[in-house]
Amino acid sequence: MIKNQIGIISCSSIITQVRNSICFNKEYKLYPLVPSCMFSISSDLIRHVFDQACLENDVALLVYGNCHPDLQNILRQYSKRIIKLEGDSCWEMLLGKEIAQDYLAKGYWLLKNALCTTWRKEVFISYGANSEHGNLIRDCGTKKILACRFEPDKPKEQDVSSFSQAFGVPYEIRECDTSGFQHLVMNGVKTAGERISKGGFIQTKRDHSRCKTPIGTINEAKFKLNTLSNKLVFVSPKIFQLLGFLPGEFKRLYTSNPDGIFYFDEDTFRQVSTKRFSYFAQCLSRGIQLPFNIEYRVRHENGSVLWVRECFSPTYNNDGTLNPCFIGKLENITAWKETEDELKRLYQKETQLRVELEEEIKRRVEFTRALVHELKTPLTPILLASDTLSNMNGDNQWRPLVNSINHGAHDLNSRIDELLDLARGEVGILRVTSKPFQLNDAVGDAVEFYVAKAKLFNQTIACHLDSKLPKTMGDRKRITQVISNLLDNAIKYSGDNSQITISTRVEMNDILFSIVDNGPGISENRIADIFNPYKCSSNSHLSGLGLGLALSRMIVEKHLGRIWVTSKIGTGSAFLFTLPLA
């Protein structure tokens, strides 16, 4: 029969009082947790202690104040397994809420034995002892240091007196009764036992025991280290598979590194040893810590260099004292490190390529701008001159020639603008200003501009626009540019005496635009890349670099829309695009 267990997670500063309250009963396992009112501890450490207590017991009792900002949030995640004693602070638990609050209201700084002995140095540093500036105890208006004795002659008067001198505040020592605290703890234990009796915890524990992970793999070897003697008392035989050393050999190499056989170099040995002993000291003085992890290089018995990760965690006896034997493991992470190094190398290479690409893009944009400038400089006087000649009342003999020059100049100017916009779109700097607008208005702008051109070929433009069309969100000028490109192509390819039909309507959650012509149609193999730039028409008598449709797709997609074409040879083509509703 599995015996129900209750774990007690206690603030390290009052763990002695907790032991006394349960009369050192080994049935309850204690888990010391460093006080967050004194030290900066992570939420991960609290979860680590909670996990350990929950895995090893049916339910856990938390004897800890609300001094950590994330404690309540973490507790909610363990609400079915951990019961917290009432009290916002350890002092409210030890003395009772009313007495503790009364002392604080009087301006007393409450002191207990652990602060005077175990954490004396940390307290002096944290609170600015022997300092004219930064003495938190004096500067906060503390009237008195009140040392509470829960055990005979603890804290000692000389220790309390040294606090008084260091902080410049008078002191008083009072003998305190812990019967109320003992009653509080035992009531908590009783509540925990009642919760166990309701069921749920025993089954959870049994399920966990059936799911234990098999010990060791070919890439790791476990060991047990006695921190008092600094010797390995057990090494898994898998150490031979991992590092090529027999267990007896590895015990000697682990803590002494004779002739530099195991550790990569002397600096590695010193650094690893120092960090180990520092971790041991923290576990001894502060309670449970997060597992120890360190990565370093070692030498295999055959001389090859490996990367290993060393991990171990402290174990505590049921009374909360530290067990000197730590369980740990060594894991071969050479492949992982090599992958990490390769990823770093690839990242650096990718970064360099990205810089080079950005420079190339910058040069391309600058070249395109320079090209546009060079093309527009001689074109500007041609446009001005042709516009002037077109508006002059003169001999009609030259009118067709003047109009041809004027139309050609404006067409070339449009192509130059498209070239610049396309370059901007390809490098992601094409600007789109998003505002609500009526798509029918944009259609009207484009038709008004091109109706004269259509009449030159005896073409008619029929508009079937939804009069109740809602507004769309986007850049009206850019969408007008798209419609103009599509309408210009329809006029260009439809031929004489043809009809071009434009329509708008709502379809699902989008606004749909379509333009249908009576042109020669587009073959299926051309449709696949018709929206790609620099794909010229197969009709030799029609000009263009294929920039208009590529630019139209960029603009529509920037509006989160979609553009496509349907066509049949001999009957014409339909270009459609969607825009989202405003």
Side-chain angles (χ1 to χ4, degrees), residues 82 96 144 149 180 207 289 292 308 326 349 365 432 469 494 525 546-547 553 571-572 582:
I82 295 179
K144 182 191 296 185
R149 279 183 174 171
D207 289 345
Q289 301 292 306
F292 176 83
V308 297
F326 284 28
K349 182 178 180 181
V365 172
V432 172
L469 195 70
S494 290
N525 61 336
L547 303 183
R553 181 177 66 176
T571 60

Side-chain angles (χ1 to χ4, degrees), residues 386-400:
S386 62
D387 285 341
T388 302
L389 290 173
S390 296
N391 294 326
M392 289 177 61
N393 294 321
D395 191 349
N396 291 332
Q397 176 183 356
W398 305 105
R399 179 65 59 186

Side-chain angles (χ1 to χ4, degrees), residues 177-291:
D177 181 20
T178 60
S179 59
F181 179 68
Q182 292 175 0
H183 181 72
L184 180 67
V185 172
M186 293 314 298
N187 275 346
V189 171
K190 180 181 178 181
T191 301
E194 291 173 350
R195 180 172 292 189
I196 292 174
S197 66
K198 293 179 181 179
F201 300 109
I202 298 176
Q203 185 62 40
T204 301
K205 185 174 180 181
R206 287 174 178 167
D207 289 345
H208 174 73
S209 66
R210 288 200 300 264
C211 299
K212 289 183 178 179
T213 304
I215 297 177
T217 67
I218 196 169
N219 283 327
E220 69 177 37
K222 296 199 173 184
F223 61 85
K224 181 182 287 188
L225 173 65
N226 188 315
T227 59
L228 298 180
S229 62
N230 192 32
K231 291 183 179 180
L232 293 176
V233 296
F234 169 78
V235 179
S236 168
K238 287 184 176 291
I239 198 70
F240 182 77
Q241 296 172 295
L242 185 70
L243 298 172
F245 298 106
L246 295 173
E249 294 176 313
F250 183 74
K251 287 181 180 180
R252 180 173 58 91
L253 299 174
Y254 179 79
T255 55
S256 60
N257 195 39
D259 302 322
I261 296 175
F262 174 59
Y263 293 93
F264 180 73
D265 53 31
E266 192 63 26
D267 285 342
T268 301
F269 172 65
R270 283 197 298 267
Q271 291 175 14
V272 173
S273 298
T274 300
K275 290 182 178 180
R276 282 193 198 120
F277 284 115
S278 176
Y279 182 77
F280 299 157
Q282 288 183 4
C283 293
L284 185 62
S285 64
R286 298 187 179 184
I288 296 176
Q289 301 292 306
L290 289 171

